Amino acid sequence: KAGVTQTPRYLIKTRGQQVTLSCSPISGHRSVSWYQQTPGQGLQFLFEYFSETQRNKGNFPGRFSGRQFSNSRSEMNVSTLELGDSALYLCASSLGQGKDEQYFGPGTRLTVT
Amino acid sequence: AQSVTQLGSHVSVSEGALVLLRCNYSSSVPPYLFWYVQYPNQGLQLLLKYTSAATLVKGINGFEAEFKKSETSFHLTKPSAHMSDAAEYFCAVINQAGTALIFGKGTTLSVSS
């Protein structure tokens, strides 16, 4: 079974721009979660989607948004980029039923200049 | 609120020595706990999970962890370290709704020959 895939793997953007990251979950998984990883704050939860519905959202500003499609693929968008948004963005998928394990993709490294 | 604390941001061992990475949790409900490993420029790989079925959990690559409720701990061990074990290790607890992982700050394991 193919793992979680994320595109693009690397991205360089300028302050004020917006960016869209994509995540394709493991086949059969209906839940997709997004995490931000930075050296200072570590791994922080952004949001989780299940069957196209956002079930949970972390403590991030409204500039961070996401969505999930009927095939369970997910995108996250960051508008009006700030330097502090530079991070590794990780996507994880799971069956989404109960407290099952999450499987992570390789991440998208976003650099904001 | 649930949380995990990883004691020691950096652990160094010799090849063949015992690996012990410490994790303590805080949870008002029976926790579901996880250990993940991250190699440079990669996503997170699941090592093992605790779901209350057994207090001693065996994972991949020879790792295991023991859940001790009295000590609120879930330490990760491996009897004999290999050079390939050098990576960053994260302990995590899943939230009550099962929608978000809450991570510790991580422990970097170095293995010397």
Side-chain angles (χ1 to χ4, degrees), chain A residues 35 37 56 99 101-102, chain B residues 36 38 49 95-96 99 101:
Chain A
Y35 297 84
Q37 185 177 25
N56 196 3
K99 301 179 181 180
E101 57 270 35
Q102 298 185 9
Chain B
Y36 284 87
Q38 185 177 35
K49 66 173 182 177
N95 69 344
Q96 198 165 348
T99 56
L101 286 166

Side-chain angles (χ1 to χ4, degrees), chain B residues 29-46:
Chain B
V29 297
Y32 278 45
L33 295 159
F34 304 82
W35 275 100
Y36 284 87
V37 61
Q38 185 177 35
Y39 298 100
N41 299 315
Q42 294 187 27
L44 277 66
Q45 180 182 10
L46 178 67

Side-chain angles (χ1 to χ4, degrees), chain A:
Chain A
K1 218 180 235 187
V4 178
T5 58
Q6 292 187 244
T7 56
R9 291 293 312 277
Y10 301 91
L11 209 47
I12 300 175
K13 289 287 188 178
T14 305
R15 264 185 307 174
Q17 289 186 315
Q18 75 167 12
V19 67
T20 299
L21 312 181
S22 181
C23 171
S24 292
I26 291 170
S27 177
H29 284 189
R30 296 168 63 190
S31 169
V32 173
S33 301
W34 289 89
Y35 297 84
Q36 181 195 64
Q37 185 177 25
T38 59
Q41 300 299 317
L43 282 153
Q44 294 185 288
F45 170 75
L46 280 157
F47 27 67
E48 188 260 2
Y49 288 87
F50 179 82
S51 293
E52 302 179 68
T53 299
Q54 186 182 87
R55 293 196 298 186
N56 196 3
K57 189 178 191 302
N59 189 25
F60 279 82
R63 300 184 297 105
F64 291 81
S65 64
R67 60 178 176 169
Q68 187 181 34
F69 302 94
S70 58
N71 61 358
S72 294
R73 191 178 69 85
S74 177
E75 289 181 347
M76 67 163 283
N77 183 278
V78 187
S79 62
T80 319
L81 284 165
E82 300 177 359
L83 295 179
D85 297 333
S86 294
L88 181 66
Y89 290 88
L90 292 162
C91 163
S93 78
S94 71
L95 292 171
Q97 299 164 358
K99 301 179 181 180
D100 51 320
E101 57 270 35
Q102 298 185 9
Y103 295 91
F104 284 79
T108 294
R109 172 74 63 186
L110 172 64
T111 302
V112 182
T113 62

